[in-house]
Amino acid sequence: MDDLDRQILDRLRRDARTPYTEIADEVGTSEGTVRNRVERMIADDVIERFTVTTRTGNVKAMVEIGVAVDVDTHAVSERMAEWEEVDFVWMVSGEQDIVLVVDAADTRSVNDLITQAREQEEVVSTTTRLILDEQLG
């Protein structure tokens, strides 16, 4: 990846719907170059997917989950990714093992999801952080 790739990615992170012609104008290259570079980054798995970020008025939270040492964290993560209010599941290093990024209708729904996580036999701890505001980088 070079500086042009990074500039293209930065623009796509802010709005993945931005037309390639607009990106090309902003970064000083042709539309074909932008299209080719995006296609290459998709093929190389630099770009994993295009996604939607919402502002629904819902409660957003991060639920950090610790699991037992002998647990297959990947299997637990895959299962939790299927839960309705979970937008993302990250396997992380540190005190906790899994982070759920949650978009729930209200705090009761967040609490229900925390209870659901705690009911999993592999889970030994949870920490929850409400997301108060979100800014694009």
Side-chain angles (χ1 to χ4, degrees), residues 3-133:
D3 189 52
L4 182 57
D5 287 339
R6 287 182 187 84
Q7 290 177 41
I8 293 167
L9 285 175
D10 182 57
R11 188 62 180 111
L12 290 172
R13 277 189 197 104
R14 293 174 188 274
D15 184 355
R17 299 171 304 160
T18 305
Y20 292 163
T21 53
E22 188 176 319
I23 295 171
D25 288 343
E26 289 180 19
V27 301
T29 192
S30 70
E31 179 273 340
T33 297
V34 171
R35 181 174 12 87
N36 290 336
R37 286 186 177 237
V38 169
E39 288 173 2
R40 180 180 44 76
M41 286 187 281
I42 291 169
D44 292 346
D45 290 329
V46 172
I47 298 175
E48 293 180 356
R49 64 185 169 137
F50 294 90
T51 187
V52 175
T53 301
T54 60
R55 294 194 188 272
T56 58
N58 287 351
V59 176
K60 293 188 178 187
M62 292 182 351
V63 179
E64 301 170 9
I65 298 170
V67 297
V69 176
D70 61 342
V71 168
D72 179 359
T73 307
H74 188 73
V76 175
S77 296
E78 284 183 346
R79 188 170 66 239
M80 291 178 173
E82 299 298 320
W83 296 352
E84 183 177 340
E85 284 124 342
V86 174
D87 282 346
F88 298 98
V89 178
W90 301 328
M91 288 181 285
V92 298
S93 62
E95 291 183 34
Q96 305 295 349
D97 304 293
I98 300 169
V99 175
L100 306 180
V101 179
V102 176
D103 185 353
D106 51 30
T107 54
R108 178 181 299 271
S109 297
V110 173
N111 194 51
D112 290 346
L113 188 127
I114 294 165
T115 300
Q116 184 177 0
R118 288 178 176 164
E119 290 173 345
Q120 305 300 303
E121 68 180 61
E122 303 93 342
V123 172
V124 295
S125 67
T126 63
T127 303
T128 303
R129 302 173 194 279
L130 294 181
I131 299 171
L132 303 176
D133 195 12

